[in-house]
Amino acid sequence: MNCEICHLKELEVEVFQVREVLRCILHTILFHRALGLVRPKDVDSEHFEITYVQCGDAELEKKIEEKVDHFCSWVEKHPNKKGQVLLSFYEVKNKQASWFTNKVERLYWEQWHVNLHVLQPSGAHGKPHGGAKPARDPGGGGREESGSRRGSLEASLREVLFQIIRFVNEKKDHIPIPNPDCVSSFPYEITIPSHSDSSFGVEIFKRMLQTGHPTMLS
Amino acid sequence: MAGAESGRTEQIISNFFLKLLQVVLDSRVPHLLAGSRAGGDKSRKRDRWFNLALGDPPAALENLGLWHRSVADPMVVDVLLLRDATDSESVLERWTVHYEPSSSSSSSSHPSTPSSPFRAATAFSSSSAEAAAAFYKRTYKKCVVLLRSVYAVLRLLPAYKAFRMLSAATLNNLHPHHHNQNQNCNFNLSYRVSSFAEPFTRAEEDEMKHYDFAAVETQFGQITVSVVYRHDLSEFNLESSSLFPPRIITDYVCSPAAAGPSRAFPSSLPSNEGFVQPASSPARGILRFGSGHMSRPHSWTSTPMAHHPLSGSQLSASELHASPMGVFGQRIVGGHQQLGSSRKGSTSFNEYPLSPPFSPSPSPSPPTHSGNLHRRLQSETAPVTIPLPVTGSIPVYSRAPNLSDPTRSSLPPPSPRVARADNSSEDSPEIRSFRRVEGFKLSEISPSLPSSLQKGIRDARDDSGRFSGVLSSCGGSPRVGFSRSSSKLSFQDDLDDSCPFAVDDVDVPDTQRRATDGKAASENQLASSSVSSWTSQEAAVGMLVHMLKTAPPLRQDQSYSSRAAGPGHDREGGGGSGGGASSFYAARRAADALEELRSYKEIKDMLLSRSGSHLPGPSRER
């Protein structure tokens, strides 16, 4: 089975917007991939005039919040850097217990690359915080600029959401049979860049080797 | 077997149509959410279809399900925008769901997809139950994903904002007891379901965008969903104003009344005595939007009519004066239009609850104690004053017919201090003249009164006159309560020369003229000068509160009065110092009332100046 990969459009976000943008994107993806019985919950974004949909599953929300917090922590330690959050759906294949490893083989059938370029606010004082509001720009011109940036980000985020919707609609055949017992239907994992930034790419490479990505074979 | 599979496929398709219709209507038509719901086990089972639990479907949907005779007929759902102003409807969105059965010849000509070989195989070996079941499950899974996408897209399209505005207004209208601000929308959303829709005009097509969802292939065809939507709704000027239902409040009271029914605005307001004021506001009640359940503190704020739809940029004092009823009538018309609308699928605005009007006060309020007064003034903002475009001079206010007000008969007896100060004169004539605020001449005062008393009476008259003018603009029994003590207070104030609250820009000449010494006079002057620098009502209220909080104890008034009395006022001072507790408390009450009177006056002046009506300094009738 092929692993469909979707690289979402990169978004330039400010530190205080990271949390909300990630929530919006991850919940939208999971709403389309958590094919169990859901009672959808409409959530108004805090910083944008966007309403996204959550599955209404507490466990799923909790897991997403944890990953969002981890990413925000990473952002604090790596200011003004591009970060990528990887959302992967996999199937658990036969457990192979060998002499050297007892790991469970995961067969990834879909990966979502959420690309964020976290910008530091201009004239920021002190250490940036993931959930903190940005430092106020002096003067009205700064506010206008931040307002235009916010509007641009909102439009870009809306594009990303439509990109997600388009992808999930066009790519349906690779979806395995859902597990009717849980809301999420499919096991998934959210990978946050590790604090040792250099190892993030290595981890992605390892995962690609494990899944036997078609691009690796071509 | 093929028949069974076709039956299951048809079941998926028909339920998909109903589910999608429910998703669209639940996200676009608020009154369906508020209406009755079809319950029962059947509805609950249907709700679980496609693993998307939306709750019981609207009762109207049950009838719509009967409309769809054949799965081969497309279902076109138009989301309509109904505008109250133009009484027109526009199509905001058109959702088209269609099941296109595929012929056996077309199935083999489809481009190869990961599923097509399976489907082709199914077509050739339809008797393979397992393959058919797998195909059925795959179709069902894709329908689940498709519905999720439709659900998400419905929240990203521009019409969703209109839905939210309208649903908020609908919910507030259905639950008026929540004390939330009611909302009025100048539009409504409706729907139309049909199997065929008129094509859009060229102009409409230019304003529309198209979004096609990926088709879901079934064993015998494919399900397609598409939407045509208006991407820009700004031309419709959709508004949802957080307004209270337009009501005429005939009994508006601006003073911080205690809990209970609002006090009546006296009908005998000076409309014919040169008291220039907007005909609407005091006489007929201020134009106020509110529900009967609104708590009293909302009736007046530091910024009068802050939430008033006609306040601020929309309505100025001059407009209020010019044609308040005209404006209000227009608003009423708009409200009636909404109330009377009965369009298809429109929200039942007839359910909009009309709160009962405020009941007039049965009797004037008793005089308030200083403590209560201070608490009221501290806890509540300044009374709402009606921006009165007074064209005349302050004497216009002085001609406020407080005298003609029958409630004045309930004024308390004169202060014993006044009586003591006027040992050689009868109480009633002097007090009557003391209270008179219209055409008060110095010559009317008994010549036997000491000069200080005469001066105090003069000042008191002015103060009470001004104060009466202020209160008459606000109306209500507290006016009586204040006015009847204001006279005593001003007189007392003059004698005591100690009122810390005697801050009045109009009183600047008075304070300058007064034989002042010490702290009280300087405080008054400082307060007066500071008053002139006030530029906002909020500042005036804040200063008033500050004054109340920092006011020295009233007992100091006695000491001040002793000092201010001096040799020239031995009679008064002696009388005052020899007064008992009862006279002291009476003086306190009067002093407080006068202080409040002056404060209200100051606030009124601030508002008038702010509203553009520059009041000249009150000319004193000496």
Side-chain angles (χ1 to χ4, degrees):
Chain A
M1 184 179 297
N2 294 332
C3 176
E4 300 289 345
I5 296 181
C6 180
H7 293 272
L8 295 176
K9 175 186 172 183
E10 182 178 283
L11 297 174
E12 289 188 348
V13 298
E14 296 190 32
V15 174
F16 73 99
Q17 297 169 330
V18 169
R19 190 177 296 271
E20 195 61 23
V21 168
L22 260 186
R23 282 190 193 128
C24 190
I25 293 175
L26 293 178
H27 277 288
T28 300
I29 296 173
L30 283 167
F31 178 66
H32 288 87
R33 287 293 181 254
L35 302 184
L37 179 63
V38 300
R39 191 171 296 274
K41 184 171 75 171
D42 299 339
V43 178
D44 295 330
S45 174
E46 291 179 4
H47 303 302
F48 313 103
E49 288 188 5
I50 291 177
T51 300
Y52 63 97
V53 190
Q54 296 184 2
C55 295
D57 183 64
E59 187 178 342
L60 192 144
E61 291 174 20
K62 180 183 174 184
K63 191 170 181 180
I64 290 178
E65 280 303 306
E66 288 177 0
K67 294 299 180 179
V68 170
D69 290 339
H70 292 167
F71 186 76
C72 292
S73 302
W74 180 87
V75 167
E76 289 181 10
K77 296 177 182 177
H78 303 84
N80 209 14
K81 280 198 172 180
K82 294 186 180 183
Q84 188 179 75
V85 177
L86 183 62
L87 172 57
S88 308
F89 296 94
Y90 60 90
E91 283 184 295
V92 177
K93 285 303 182 184
N94 298 329
K95 298 182 181 181
Q96 294 182 353
S98 66
W99 288 103
F100 304 103
T101 178
N102 199 20
K103 288 185 179 179
V104 175
E105 183 180 357
R106 293 178 175 181
L107 186 62
Y108 293 89
W109 51 270
E110 190 172 271
Q111 286 181 341
W112 297 83
H113 294 253
V114 184
N115 302 299
L116 300 177
H117 183 189
V118 184
L119 303 173
Q120 286 298 313
S122 58
H125 303 287
K127 203 172 181 183
H129 191 267
K133 295 289 183 181
R136 288 195 175 185
D137 294 329
R143 289 179 190 161
E144 291 179 0
E145 186 181 350
S146 66
S148 67
R149 278 203 305 269
R150 191 194 65 82
S152 174
L153 174 60
E154 181 177 320
S156 299
L157 179 59
R158 205 177 286 270
E159 285 182 29
V160 168
L161 296 182
F162 271 104
Q163 184 183 2
I164 294 171
I165 294 171
R166 200 173 305 114
F167 185 89
V168 298
N169 269 269
E170 292 174 355
K171 311 284 185 181
K172 296 196 198 79
D173 296 319
H174 65 290
I175 302 174
I177 304 299
N179 180 6
D181 297 333
C182 62
V183 173
S184 59
S185 304
F186 310 107
Y188 66 95
E189 66 178 8
I190 302 174
T191 307
I192 306 296
S194 62
H195 292 287
S196 56
D197 181 33
S198 59
S199 64
F200 177 69
V202 174
E203 289 185 6
I204 299 298
F205 187 74
K206 283 183 182 176
R207 185 161 293 109
M208 291 171 67
L209 287 175
Q210 287 177 356
T211 58
H213 195 270
T215 57
M216 297 297 296
L217 302 176
S218 64
Chain B
M1 187 64 66
E5 290 306 318
S6 66
R8 292 171 71 176
T9 303
E10 187 170 346
Q11 186 184 29
I12 288 179
I13 295 169
S14 59
N15 278 281
F16 180 84
F17 275 43
L18 285 177
K19 196 74 171 184
L20 189 136
L21 180 62
Q22 182 181 358
V23 168
V24 173
L25 296 185
D26 281 354
S27 306
R28 288 294 184 265
V29 187
H31 72 272
L32 284 184
L33 291 174
S36 62
R37 292 273 172 171
D41 294 336
K42 185 180 178 183
S43 297
R44 278 191 289 273
K45 287 181 181 178
R46 184 179 295 173
D47 193 34
R48 296 174 66 90
W49 268 87
F50 307 105
N51 290 338
L52 191 64
L54 302 175
D56 293 333
L61 206 63
E62 297 295 323
N63 299 328
L64 289 173
L66 300 175
W67 153 87
H68 198 235
R69 303 188 195 92
S70 169
V71 294
D73 295 334
M75 182 175 72
V76 180
V77 184
D78 284 342
V79 178
L80 306 173
L81 174 71
L82 310 173
R83 283 177 288 177
D84 298 336
T86 59
D87 199 18
S88 63
E89 67 177 34
S90 306
V91 178
L92 288 186
E93 297 175 350
R94 174 169 289 170
W95 293 82
T96 304
V97 189
H98 192 201
Y99 175 68
E100 301 169 358
S102 59
S103 59
S104 57
S105 59
S106 62
S107 62
S108 58
S109 63
H110 274 245
S112 63
T113 61
S115 64
S116 59
F118 179 77
R119 190 161 64 84
T122 305
F124 292 131
S125 58
S126 58
S127 59
S128 174
E130 291 182 1
F135 201 95
Y136 170 80
K137 290 179 182 176
R138 198 187 304 273
T139 299
Y140 184 81
K141 174 189 69 180
K142 293 180 181 179
C143 287
V144 170
V145 177
L146 177 56
L147 276 171
R148 303 283 175 99
S149 300
V150 170
Y151 192 95
V153 168
L154 279 165
R155 275 130 190 87
L156 296 177
L157 294 181
Y160 184 70
K161 186 177 179 183
F163 164 77
R164 290 292 295 270
M165 291 165 56
L166 193 59
S167 59
T170 303
L171 288 176
N172 283 333
N173 296 341
L174 291 176
H175 302 283
H177 57 277
H178 284 170
H179 294 279
N180 293 329
Q181 286 186 342
N182 296 324
Q183 290 181 319
N184 280 340
C185 293
N186 62 347
F187 67 95
N188 203 351
L189 292 175
S190 183
Y191 64 95
R192 179 172 55 218
V193 182
S194 61
S195 60
F196 173 78
E198 292 184 3
F200 292 116
T201 62
R202 180 63 62 89
E204 289 175 329
E205 282 184 359
D206 293 339
E207 298 171 354
M208 296 283 195
K209 283 189 176 179
H210 201 97
Y211 188 87
D212 292 329
F213 293 85
V216 172
E217 292 182 352
T218 69
Q219 193 171 1
F220 309 100
Q222 62 179 7
I223 302 173
T224 60
V225 178
S226 64
V227 59
V228 179
Y229 63 96
R230 284 181 183 267
H231 60 90
D232 186 12
L233 302 184
S234 58
E235 63 176 283
F236 297 112
N237 295 323
L238 303 181
E239 291 179 356
S240 173
S241 53
S242 297
L243 303 175
F244 295 101
R247 291 179 53 242
I248 298 177
I249 299 177
T250 56
D251 305 321
Y252 180 75
V253 178
C254 68
S255 64
S262 61
R263 294 190 175 85
F265 220 125
S267 57
S268 61
L269 278 177
S271 60
N272 54 356
E273 296 188 12
F275 187 72
V276 182
Q277 58 175 336
S280 67
S281 22
R284 306 178 198 177
I286 195 168
L287 185 60
R288 177 165 172 265
F289 282 50
S291 71
H293 302 278
M294 202 168 60
S295 55
R296 282 292 295 136
H298 290 282
S299 63
W300 52 292
T301 64
S302 57
T303 53
M305 299 189 291
H307 303 290
H308 200 280
L310 304 178
S311 64
S313 59
Q314 298 187 27
L315 199 65
S316 63
S318 58
E319 289 176 339
L320 269 177
H321 177 235
S323 58
M325 289 308 297
V327 174
F328 183 68
Q330 185 180 1
R331 298 292 298 182
I332 282 292
V333 168
H336 284 318
Q337 281 181 350
Q338 289 187 346
L339 287 171
S341 65
S342 57
R343 296 190 181 87
K344 174 180 63 175
S346 63
T347 302
S348 173
F349 278 105
N350 292 329
E351 301 173 5
Y352 199 88
L354 294 178
S355 47
F358 287 113
S359 57
S361 171
S363 61
S365 63
T368 59
H369 295 284
S370 59
N372 293 335
L373 172 64
H374 288 178
R375 280 196 296 276
R376 284 219 311 271
L377 290 176
Q378 288 179 1
S379 62
E380 295 176 331
T381 56
V384 177
T385 58
I386 302 167
L388 305 173
V390 176
T391 57
S393 60
I394 289 300
V396 169
Y397 290 107
S398 66
R399 283 180 279 154
N402 289 333
L403 303 175
S404 60
D405 194 331
T407 57
R408 291 191 66 87
S409 60
S410 61
L411 292 177
S415 166
R417 189 183 181 88
V418 175
R420 284 193 301 278
D422 186 18
N423 294 332
S424 63
S425 58
E426 297 179 359
D427 291 342
S428 51
E430 271 60 45
I431 296 303
R432 281 199 297 274
S433 62
F434 176 70
R435 292 173 185 169
R436 189 178 298 276
V437 295
E438 180 176 0
F440 199 19
K441 303 294 181 184
L442 188 59
S443 58
E444 295 178 3
I445 305 176
S446 171
S448 61
L449 288 177
S451 59
S452 62
L453 181 59
Q454 294 179 10
K455 176 168 163 295
I457 292 174
R458 179 179 63 249
D459 295 338
R461 173 216 57 219
D462 293 330
D463 290 339
S464 58
R466 287 192 298 276
F467 187 65
S468 299
V470 170
L471 287 184
S472 61
S473 69
C474 301
S477 305
R479 171 179 63 87
V480 178
F482 294 142
S483 60
R484 62 172 175 256
S485 58
S486 64
S487 56
K488 295 193 298 293
L489 186 62
S490 66
F491 175 70
Q492 183 68 38
D493 179 62
D494 178 66
L495 291 178
D496 300 340
D497 197 19
S498 61
C499 177
F501 308 116
V503 178
D504 193 338
D505 54 349
V506 180
D507 283 337
V508 170
D510 290 335
T511 57
Q512 290 175 351
R513 284 199 309 270
R514 285 176 187 172
T516 56
D517 71 348
K519 187 174 172 182
S522 61
E523 285 178 350
N524 291 337
Q525 286 184 355
L526 181 62
S528 303
S529 59
S530 64
V531 167
S532 61
S533 64
W534 289 346
T535 57
S536 66
Q537 182 189 3
E538 291 79 6
V541 173
M543 186 168 175
L544 172 66
V545 172
H546 175 71
M547 286 194 301
L548 290 172
K549 287 182 180 177
T550 57
L554 290 176
R555 288 184 181 174
Q556 295 178 7
D557 295 345
Q558 229 172 2
S559 63
Y560 285 129
S561 65
S562 301
R563 291 197 301 273
H569 306 283
D570 288 337
R571 295 174 69 185
E572 297 83 5
S577 59
S582 59
S583 62
F584 172 72
Y585 286 125
R588 280 187 61 199
R589 199 163 55 191
D592 294 335
L594 181 59
E595 289 163 9
E596 186 180 0
L597 180 150
R598 289 179 177 176
S599 304
Y600 284 141
K601 177 63 177 66
E602 294 155 9
I603 294 168
K604 180 190 77 72
D605 292 337
M606 288 298 112
L607 289 176
L608 289 175
S609 61
R610 188 184 180 194
S611 64
S613 305
H614 302 285
L615 301 175
S619 62
R620 300 185 175 278
E621 295 181 12
R622 304 289 173 222

